[in-house]
Amino acid sequence: MSEQKRIPQHVAIIMDGNGRWAQQHGLERYAGHIQGVESVRRTIKAAARHGVSYLTLYAFSTENWNRPAEEVNALMELFCKCVINETENLKTEGVRVKIIGDKNRLPGNVQEHLTRIEEQTAQGERLTLLLALNYSSRDELTHAVQQLARKVAAGTLNPETITEQSVEQSLYTAGYPDPDLIIRTSGEQRLSNFLLWQAAYAEFYFTPVLWPDFSDEEFARALDEYAARERRFGRVTNRNEERS
Ligand code: FPP
């Protein structure tokens, strides 16, 4: 029997290049986001098919509020529309949706739709989809520090007993494993305030492909490259261990 390929348990994606895709096609930026939804759909299915258990998608950062109001509003509408249209499909496919980010600062109707999809997909066991919305890592860490500081001030937490685990449990991603593989599309090679704590030992895959063109083949290439990498987590290689 052939050896089984190592599949990452958790893949996180910085979906970038919608605007450039639209520009290349002579369209408004919004058209790039609409086309990006197709890639989202495709990638969720592909992740489940490959046996990935957690998929995180960076859909809207805390910095994205600085875009023109027209684009921000269009994106908020698109999120609502997707949530309404996709809930049944996601349920059928066994996908559980969770939001990471500061939901409280999103418009009320968006918050309601997001809470509904989290409730309605809560039974999904095949894939957990973490949607990063109004998310940034520094904001997440600031919230975590506030949470811990409140406990110290209330006398329920001794600062000396704060561990890495206590910090992890105060993050939006509490209870989820760290990403094994982080993919960024569109040729940019930076993290842009995404999962800074959680990415400590992640592997990175950068592709020039723009998000709306991100295909099943490109996803499979990222998984192949991940499978070929050696992850040492600060330890020596197995070969060296054998020699020593
Ligand atoms: C980055 O491309 C993309 C975004 C900020 C929005 C991502 C949103 C979607 C893919 C739509 C739907 C998502 C979900 C989860 C339903 P960009 O606009 O920064 O592209 P550019 O760098 O080429 O301008």
Side-chain angles (χ1 to χ4, degrees), residues 62-74:
T62 53
E63 288 84 13
N64 285 153
W65 294 110
N66 297 323
R67 293 189 174 204
E70 201 181 70
E71 182 173 347
V72 170
N73 292 340

Side-chain angles (χ1 to χ4, degrees), residues 43-230:
T43 305
I44 293 170
K45 284 197 176 141
R49 212 168 45 239
H50 283 283
V52 169
S53 303
Y54 299 86
L55 176 69
T56 298
L57 299 178
Y58 201 7
F60 194 86
S61 75
T62 53
E63 288 84 13
N64 285 153
W65 294 110
N66 297 323
R67 293 189 174 204
E70 201 181 70
E71 182 173 347
V72 170
N73 292 340
L75 275 170
M76 292 299 146
E77 252 179 56
L78 191 59
F79 295 141
C80 289
K81 221 194 256 175
C82 285
V83 163
I84 295 165
N85 293 343
E86 299 299 328
T87 300
E88 280 312 307
N89 287 340
L90 293 170
K91 271 168 75 176
T92 311
E93 296 193 24
V95 178
R96 171 173 66 140
V97 178
K98 282 293 204 185
I99 309 302
I100 56 168
D102 187 358
K103 257 201 291 191
N104 297 329
R105 280 195 49 218
L106 292 166
N109 65 326
V110 180
Q111 286 186 41
E112 281 165 29
H113 286 302
L114 295 176
T115 303
R116 203 166 308 142
I117 196 168
E118 284 184 316
E119 286 169 1
Q120 294 190 350
T121 61
Q123 306 305 321
E125 287 187 343
R126 194 162 170 227
L127 173 76
T128 298
L129 173 65
L130 299 175
L131 278 185
L133 277 167
N134 193 26
Y135 174 89
S136 85
S137 238
R138 289 182 175 184
D139 180 62
E140 176 181 43
L141 286 162
T142 306
H143 274 103
V145 171
Q146 285 173 349
Q147 219 180 86
L148 293 170
R150 270 194 294 272
K151 289 183 188 165
V152 171
T156 57
L157 180 66
N158 173 356
E160 306 307 320
T161 64
I162 296 177
T163 59
E164 288 189 11
Q165 280 71 31
S166 337
V167 177
E168 262 165 28
Q169 282 158 17
S170 310
L171 299 175
Y172 296 131
T173 52
Y176 302 112
D178 286 344
D180 302 293
L181 171 66
I182 296 181
I183 298 173
R184 182 168 189 153
T185 59
S186 91
E188 310 296 345
Q189 303 195 359
R190 56 178 172 270
L191 267 180
S192 299
N193 220 345
F194 184 52
L195 303 180
L196 300 183
W197 171 284
Q198 298 87 337
Y201 288 101
E203 297 291 329
F204 291 90
Y205 180 83
F206 297 111
T207 170
V209 167
L210 303 176
W211 177 249
D213 292 328
F214 190 76
S215 59
D216 285 357
E217 291 72 26
E218 191 58 31
F219 188 58
R221 259 194 291 279
L223 296 186
D224 282 346
E225 190 162 318
Y226 171 83
R229 303 245 181 111
E230 182 190 22

Side-chain angles (χ1 to χ4, degrees), residues 15-20 29 33 37 59 64 67 79 82 131:
M15 311 181 286
D16 198 7
N18 292 352
R20 276 162 285 170
R29 291 181 56 82
H33 297 313
V37 174
N64 285 153
R67 293 189 174 204
F79 295 141
C82 285
L131 278 185

